Amino acid sequence: MSGGGNGNGGGSALAAVGGEGAGSVMDQMMKLFEPPGGYATDKEAAELHPYFKRPGRGHNHDSCDSCREGGALICCDSCPASFHLQCHDPPLEDEDIPEGDWICIKCYAAKPESQKK
């Protein structure tokens, strides 16, 4: 007799995916959705991705460090701080924005006197 009954010889679809003793249904689903090569740990991701190799760049705050609101922000190139021009102390004007790197007043104050321009 042919047919796809649920007898002892047929097995279930989940058993076919995970095999014998594959764990819970959630474990099997997670295995199905796992990226090729498996999930990287936080430490592995930090070591592999160039985003994490550039401290002070690429991971600034998404809101102003002064007022905690979003919007058009200027980002410090030495720390994760971001500011609205008017929220920085002292407030900045459009002409104060440099072509290259910019550092906030806190980072500027932390620099040795010999490195301040």
Side-chain angles (χ1 to χ4, degrees):
M1 183 187 272
S2 67
N6 289 336
N8 290 340
S12 70
L14 287 175
V17 170
E20 284 289 325
S24 71
V25 173
M26 182 58 82
D27 291 338
Q28 293 175 23
M29 289 174 52
M30 293 301 290
K31 186 70 176 166
L32 285 172
F33 293 109
E34 187 175 291
Y39 290 104
T41 64
D42 289 338
K43 184 177 179 188
E44 289 172 341
E47 289 174 1
L48 298 177
H49 200 285
Y51 175 86
F52 296 101
K53 292 183 179 180
R54 300 179 64 196
R57 295 175 187 253
H59 61 280
N60 292 85
H61 299 151
D62 292 331
S63 59
C64 176
D65 279 45
S66 182
C67 72
R68 304 288 183 225
E69 295 291 324
L73 304 169
I74 185 168
C75 299
C76 181
D77 287 307
S78 293
C79 74
S82 300
F83 299 93
H84 294 111
L85 296 179
Q86 67 274 14
C87 291
H88 187 263
D89 186 23
L92 302 169
E93 300 291 330
D94 286 337
E95 56 269 4
D96 294 328
I97 301 172
E99 291 291 324
D101 289 349
W102 176 82
I103 61 171
C104 66
I105 193 69
K106 184 176 179 183
C107 292
Y108 181 79
K111 288 174 90 174
E113 287 297 323
S114 61
Q115 293 182 359
K116 293 180 181 178
K117 307 182 207 180

